[in-house]
Amino acid sequence: MRVRLKGINSISKRLADGTYRRYYYAWKGGPALPGKPGDPEFIDAYNRAIARKVQPKQGVLLAILQGFQHSSDWDDLAPRTRADYVKQIRVIEAKFRDFPLGALGDRRSRGIFMAWRDERARTAGRRQADYGWQVLARVLSWAHGRGLVVANPCEKGGRLYRGSRADKVWTSDDEERFLVHAPKHLRLALLLALWTGQRQGDLLRLTWTQYDGNVIRLQQGKTGARVTIPVGRPLKEALDAIGGKSGQILLNSEGLPWTADGFRSSWRKACAAAGIVGVTFNDLRGTAVTRLALAECTEAEIATITGHSLRDVRSILDAHYLHRDPALAQSAIDKLEKRTKTPN
């Protein structure tokens, strides 16, 4: 989706080596913006600059929405999460920017917000409706904790979307067909996901300096967890065949770092060409957990590799993946046969 940002000023400057570089500013004479238009950090910096420039009137929801975006809670969010929150906050602002904060203590305000969520469910889908409710509840919780509002009417609102990806696991056949039909630079992405169990954003940011020939070290962008992952033979062979020294490991067909949107688009096309349906790149993280469990790894061993907490690993194994994998049932019966003495 393309977002038009108003008032941006750009200047091209010649560097000492003779090349040119373009710099962006929130407005003429305004603060510099990192990255380039479309990057999450660029959009985040732009919105923060505009919020400082235009001060909302106090006593309305807009003041709380903008205050949250200048808080330490906001700074603790991952760049991608902040970009997603900004989209939801814009929707909330369009509907409730002048909603009086004093009305949040009225029990009827919860019904007003729920009616808005129901309306969004009909127009934008239940998942978007739930996400908007979640962001609004998070902002109001932040404000309530600081005594800026008397109540959070969006607390414990439940969910409208009941979908689950519990059965969305890449099969060995899916993997084989992808490796046959997908371009080489995307085959490496598949191997990285299956052998590390990491999220898409962390893998797209992964650099050669984080791989020493034996292990991959990274800090997860979403949780901040640091993981050290021994590199399995298939992945090691693929990485060593490239032998990069610097920069990011995963590059597009032009040899440039991926953008998140560009990667998702290319991945979808590669899956379609390979005849793979019903699973996404994000499902590879759960698939990695499943395969580690099938290899009889303990929950602690799995958590060490993927960066999940032990509780999250147990939850994934119990509720989302393993009970749907037929290979586990076959493994259980095989073990039972070996331990059971049946008389002739």
Side-chain angles (χ1 to χ4, degrees):
M1 183 180 77
R2 180 172 294 180
V3 179
R4 187 175 183 84
L5 305 179
K6 297 181 180 180
I8 292 179
N9 183 46
S10 63
I11 299 176
S12 182
K13 293 184 179 181
R14 186 173 182 176
L15 304 180
D17 60 1
T19 60
Y20 285 86
R21 181 177 179 181
R22 185 165 292 278
Y23 295 87
Y24 296 91
Y25 301 87
W27 57 84
K28 191 171 183 179
L33 302 176
K36 60 182 183 300
D39 293 343
E41 61 270 22
F42 183 96
I43 297 174
D44 179 45
Y46 172 83
N47 283 296
R48 291 167 70 89
I50 293 298
R52 289 194 297 269
K53 185 179 182 182
V54 181
Q55 294 296 326
K57 63 181 180 180
Q58 299 302 305
V60 296
L61 190 60
L62 180 59
I64 297 300
L65 292 169
Q66 294 194 355
F68 176 70
Q69 295 175 76
H70 290 84
S71 69
S72 58
D73 290 45
W74 178 267
D75 293 336
D76 290 340
L77 298 175
R80 173 62 189 274
T81 303
R82 288 199 296 266
D84 290 340
Y85 269 36
V86 165
K87 296 175 185 178
Q88 298 298 328
I89 288 174
R90 285 176 181 167
V91 175
I92 297 169
E93 287 179 352
K95 183 71 175 180
F96 296 114
R97 61 185 299 122
D98 294 324
F99 191 92
L101 297 181
L104 294 175
D106 190 317
R107 291 175 60 87
R108 291 172 293 180
S109 64
R110 183 176 178 87
I112 293 174
F113 292 127
M114 281 190 163
W116 164 72
R117 183 176 64 169
D118 291 340
E119 179 186 354
R120 284 208 74 202
R122 290 189 293 269
T123 58
R126 293 193 171 199
R127 295 185 71 176
Q128 284 298 305
D130 282 343
Y131 199 8
W133 178 275
Q134 172 191 333
V135 172
L136 179 56
R138 174 76 179 273
V139 173
L140 292 177
S141 175
W142 168 84
H144 187 244
R146 285 157 180 75
L148 302 176
V149 297
V150 297
N152 176 7
C154 295
E155 186 178 12
K156 297 180 181 179
R159 293 185 178 183
L160 299 177
Y161 180 73
R162 299 298 180 185
S164 171
R165 301 198 64 82
D167 57 346
K168 304 303 181 182
V169 177
W170 283 65
T171 65
S172 297
D173 183 58
D174 291 333
E175 178 185 354
E176 182 178 348
R177 281 188 285 121
F178 191 90
L179 292 174
V180 169
H181 295 283
K184 184 176 181 180
H185 57 285
L186 288 177
R187 295 200 298 267
L188 179 59
L190 177 76
L191 290 175
L192 272 170
L194 285 176
W195 284 87
T196 67
Q198 302 304 306
R199 298 178 181 87
Q200 175 185 303
D202 292 324
L203 293 178
L204 294 184
R205 289 189 295 270
L206 192 65
T207 64
W208 287 105
T209 58
Q210 294 172 267
Y211 169 58
D212 66 3
N214 295 301
V215 300
I216 289 175
R217 295 181 174 87
L218 62 85
Q219 182 176 10
Q220 295 180 334
K222 183 174 182 178
T223 65
R226 296 182 181 275
V227 292
T228 300
I229 309 165
V231 177
R233 179 180 53 78
L235 177 57
K236 177 176 173 58
E237 291 177 353
L239 291 173
D240 292 348
I242 300 174
K245 300 298 182 183
S246 61
Q248 283 148 286
I249 292 178
L250 292 178
L251 303 174
N252 61 24
S253 58
E254 298 178 355
L256 300 174
W258 286 102
T259 63
D261 290 340
F263 180 82
R264 283 192 291 268
S265 176
S266 294
W267 187 267
R268 285 194 298 268
K269 293 177 182 177
C271 286
I276 298 172
V277 296
V279 288
T280 67
F281 187 90
N282 292 336
D283 294 323
L284 290 169
R285 182 161 160 82
T287 303
V289 172
T290 302
R291 294 188 179 190
L292 287 167
L294 287 170
E296 300 184 351
C297 297
T298 66
E299 293 174 357
E301 289 171 335
I302 295 173
T304 301
I305 293 174
T306 65
H308 289 99
S309 67
L310 284 174
R311 182 178 61 184
D312 288 341
V313 170
R314 191 172 298 113
S315 176
I316 291 173
L317 300 183
D318 178 60
H320 294 289
Y321 296 101
L322 293 186
H323 71 293
R324 295 181 181 269
D325 196 309
L328 281 180
Q330 185 61 55
S331 175
I333 294 300
D334 290 344
K335 291 179 179 179
L336 180 61
E337 288 179 346
K338 292 179 179 178
R339 293 182 61 88
T340 302
K341 295 181 180 180
T342 304
N344 293 329

